[in-house]
Amino acid sequence: MTEEKKRPYQKGHNNSPKKPYYGKKFDPRKSGARRPDTNTNGVSVRIGQNFPLTIKRLGINGEGIGYFKRKIVFVPGALPDEVAVVKVTEVEPKYIAAKVLKIREKSPNRVKPLDEFADEVGGFELEHMTYPAQLAFKKDVIMQALEKFQPRGWSDYDLRDTIGMADPYQYRNKAQFPVRKIGDKISVGMYKRSTHDLVDLPVVHTQDQTTMIVMRTIRELLDKLSVSIYNEDKNRGTVKTIVVRVSHTTGEAQVTFVTNTDAFPGDTALIEAINKALPQVTGIFQNFNPGRTSLVWGEETIKLWGQDYIEETVLGKTFQLSPRAFMQLNYTQMSVVYKEALEALDLTHADKLVDAYAGVGTIGLSLADKVDEVRGMEIIPEAVDDANINAKINHVNNAKYEVGTAEELFPKWQSEGWVADALVVDPPRTGLDTALRREILRTQPEKFVYISCNASTLARDLVDLTKAYKVDYIQSIDMFPQTARWEGVVKLTRRA
Ligand code: SAH
């Protein structure tokens, strides 16, 4: 199994490290260049060199983009219309990377980030920009992607203004923080970008308050009770990561300790102390994940105390969430996405609906009342089990979820005579598989909505899909304020 598949319930955008989108690492052997710090495109530049740069726009990862002698320069943290003195950190055949030394002319959209560590750790790429400018950026990201791939009719698409949050903070319903002991001090927080230096984070403004209260209280309890903490250098000790998830509906919290050892010395006292200090915690779990590994979760999860699930209600349906079950990180905006999908689908009671890339069935189950039948597919067996359980507890009798890929099962159902009238796809960042696109073009379901978390693969997929469909509109929704991440709902209509 690939690493991606082993990590259950995680949409590519959940915790996975950001992939640089600007190509592969420079390989001097392949390019024929002798010195990796100059390049062959006629522009001479070296690592460490400083120069002033005017920022023209933001790239899809939220970094400032300028041009040095016509060569593209990526500068994290710089904003459009700013003039910055930058220092070159990387020279590649196709681009230069640089960091800001000084901003000479500031953008009116620049603000002081609420989180002072925003430029050190991942997940705060745009916190130095006003919120309206962030929303405008997210509309521009899809425009840039369309411009690049140029699907049929792209310049006339109706790109709707990004739907933002009234309060673009405290939205993350889950915190998954590593724990380390440095000297006497226990740190619980996030790693500095591309390092293993852990920054202790008492306050994180994008996190739901409860997740932080629980996290910080547990940190104190670990300290007070001298619970064994994982030491990465020695690959010894117990507690590696604390995961806290909260239900928006009930306010209840679920805690999982990811441990290096099977044994969890001191867990009884710890559970007792948590029960006393944190009544909102209704379930405590241990996940065993031994050794040095970049994966947060191991295979095995056991309950130490309390309830098996927390419950979340989404558009009137209740979902039971075990520690590893996938749920979108932003409850408020997730509901907006699903409502947008519902509106765009325009369902009738005669429709057969396919919920492709279903996760635990949140989309299909919340739409089941509106249609004749729902079928969904998902590659993670536990998620499919959860989806079918969720159907049962909500008394949904017309929905069925199967384990398998969308590209396999969608054609299979059609060939067996179960023909979809409506299709909603919600793929990971990689977008739709070629075989699925082919089948969609062949069978052309009348109603079709594409929920995307990656503007680039969406634009690529639209090149194919617009052979049979028109793009009615693209509605971007800000699921991850303060980050560069993009989410959108696309309504497609069959060409006459
Ligand atoms: N629709 C769900 C989940 C979306 S995340 C929600 O809104 O919560 C995308 C899901 O697609 C993940 O659960 C992932 O496991 C699943 N997936 C990835 N590749 C797939 C494929 N080829 N076919 C079906 N499902 C896939």
Side-chain angles (χ1 to χ4, degrees), residues 114-128:
L114 287 188
D115 296 287
E116 71 235 25
F117 50 83
D119 60 348
E120 283 189 321
V121 304
F124 300 85
E125 293 77 22
L126 301 181
E127 209 183 21
H128 58 295

Side-chain angles (χ1 to χ4, degrees), residues 11 326 328 338 357-358 362-363 378-380 405-407 426 428:
K11 190 158 176 165
F326 176 84
Q328 301 285 352
Y338 294 170
Y357 309 86
T362 20
I363 296 177
E378 160 62 52
I379 54 175
I380 295 164
T405 64
E407 52 274 21
D426 185 13

Side-chain angles (χ1 to χ4, degrees), residues 105-310:
E105 285 173 41
K106 258 191 197 173
S107 159
N109 291 324
R110 179 174 284 280
V111 291
K112 191 171 180 297
L114 287 188
D115 296 287
E116 71 235 25
F117 50 83
D119 60 348
E120 283 189 321
V121 304
F124 300 85
E125 293 77 22
L126 301 181
E127 209 183 21
H128 58 295
M129 190 153 108
T130 61
Y131 195 50
Q134 290 184 28
L135 297 178
F137 161 74
K138 289 185 185 185
K139 192 170 159 184
D140 186 57
V141 161
I142 180 65
M143 194 62 200
Q144 284 191 42
L146 293 171
E147 231 162 34
K148 181 167 171 208
F149 288 94
Q150 311 215 333
R152 188 170 163 188
W154 67 277
S155 54
D156 295 327
Y157 292 174
D158 175 11
L159 302 183
R160 300 190 168 173
D161 288 345
T162 311
I163 301 177
M165 298 186 78
D167 174 12
Y169 290 99
Q170 299 188 5
Y171 61 84
R172 285 177 180 266
N173 58 20
K174 185 167 119 178
Q176 191 165 281
F177 290 171
V179 192
R180 296 292 179 268
K181 198 165 184 173
I182 301 148
D184 269 350
K185 191 182 167 224
I186 295 182
S187 290
V188 177
M190 292 183 221
Y191 290 118
K192 280 190 192 165
R193 242 182 251 126
S194 30
T195 73
H196 262 208
D197 300 341
L198 192 63
V199 189
D200 188 51
L201 299 176
V203 181
V204 180
H205 288 87
T206 50
Q207 284 294 339
D208 174 284
Q209 289 273 44
T210 304
T211 62
M212 288 310 287
I213 291 169
V214 171
M215 192 65 89
R216 297 313 288 181
T217 307
I218 289 178
R219 175 183 172 275
E220 277 167 34
L221 297 175
L222 290 173
D223 195 15
K224 204 166 120 195
L225 300 169
S226 306
V227 175
S228 160
I229 306 294
Y230 181 58
N231 180 320
E232 202 162 16
D233 294 335
K234 297 187 178 144
N235 192 23
R236 258 194 247 139
T238 302
V239 179
K240 276 181 155 175
T241 304
I242 304 172
V243 185
V244 179
R245 172 145 79 170
V246 63
S247 159
H248 187 270
T249 314
T250 65
E252 291 174 349
Q254 186 175 59
V255 174
T256 307
F257 293 96
V258 180
T259 62
N260 176 52
T261 49
D262 206 353
F264 190 169
D267 62 339
T268 318
L270 180 61
I271 292 164
E272 233 170 72
I274 292 174
N275 289 167
K276 215 184 227 163
L278 296 165
Q280 60 275 59
V281 174
T282 59
I284 304 176
F285 300 79
Q286 178 187 357
N287 174 270
F288 176 43
N289 189 20
R292 295 189 189 93
T293 154
S294 59
L295 296 180
V296 173
W297 292 85
E299 294 290 328
E300 194 188 321
T301 307
I302 56 163
K303 186 174 75 173
L304 299 176
W305 172 84
Q307 292 168 18
D308 294 339
Y309 303 101
I310 49 172

Side-chain angles (χ1 to χ4, degrees), residues 347-388:
L347 299 164
T348 72
H349 287 287
D351 287 337
K352 287 185 167 43
L353 168 71
V354 168
D355 176 7
Y357 309 86
V360 296
T362 20
I363 296 177
L365 295 177
S366 57
L367 303 182
D369 298 348
K370 315 239 170 349
V371 296
D372 178 40
E373 227 185 311
V374 176
R375 276 198 193 182
M377 78 291 271
E378 160 62 52
I379 54 175
I380 295 164
E382 294 89 336
V384 172
D385 289 345
D386 284 349
N388 287 318

Side-chain angles (χ1 to χ4, degrees), residues 4-5 7-13 326-328 334 337-338 355-364 377-380 383 402 404-408 425-431 433 436 451 453 479 487:
E4 197 58 41
K5 281 184 183 157
R7 196 184 301 153
Y9 299 90
Q10 305 204 343
K11 190 158 176 165
H13 63 29
F326 176 84
M327 173 70 46
Q328 301 285 352
M334 165 187 74
V337 169
Y338 294 170
D355 176 7
Y357 309 86
V360 296
T362 20
I363 296 177
M377 78 291 271
E378 160 62 52
I379 54 175
I380 295 164
E402 278 183 38
T405 64
E407 52 274 21
E408 244 173 84
V425 296
D426 185 13
R429 292 180 60 85
T430 43
D433 187 86
L436 178 62
I451 304 176
C453 60
M479 283 276 261
E487 184 96 13

